[in-house]
Amino acid sequence: MTDAAAPTFAIESCAGVRAIRCLLCNRVSELRSDVEHRYCSRCRLFHDIVTEGRRLLADGGAHECAEWRTYRSRCALCDRAL
Ligand SMILES: [Zn+2]
Ligand SMILES: [Zn+2]
């Protein structure tokens, strides 16, 4: 089980430029839109939506792992290998 409260991204600073690191696939993006929307273009997931999905899962909600597939072929919510 994953920790529902654990963030799935980190904001970093590369030479004064803000970047977002996806903790699901480790991709770092300096694209402003990715940073602003907390989006990973490799996983094709919005981190805020993943966080909300994990919260619902922790509350006993159902989810379809295939809909949350990350670049690393794991479910972004429950970390099951897909
Ligand atoms: Zn990612
Ligand atoms: Zn899952």
Side-chain angles (χ1 to χ4, degrees):
M1 240 5 218
T2 49
D3 180 355
T8 56
F9 69 97
I11 299 295
E12 302 181 347
S13 188
C14 303
V17 179
R18 276 203 316 159
I20 181 163
R21 176 186 297 274
C22 174
L23 299 178
L24 302 170
C25 73
N26 236 21
R27 174 189 152 86
V28 176
S29 171
E30 292 177 6
L31 262 181
R32 226 173 88 180
S33 57
D34 287 352
V35 176
E36 274 176 14
H37 300 297
R38 295 192 278 285
Y39 178 71
C40 176
S41 58
R42 202 155 69 165
C43 294
R44 294 198 219 118
L45 289 168
F46 288 95
H47 292 288
D48 292 353
I49 293 174
V50 173
T51 302
E52 177 67 8
R54 286 188 174 191
R55 201 183 58 74
L56 292 173
L57 179 63
D59 284 347
H63 75 289
E64 197 64 58
C65 292
E67 290 173 11
W68 299 90
R69 187 191 200 94
T70 66
Y71 177 76
R72 286 187 166 166
S73 297
R74 302 191 78 90
C75 172
L77 299 196
C78 68
D79 204 34
R80 193 163 75 94
L82 295 171

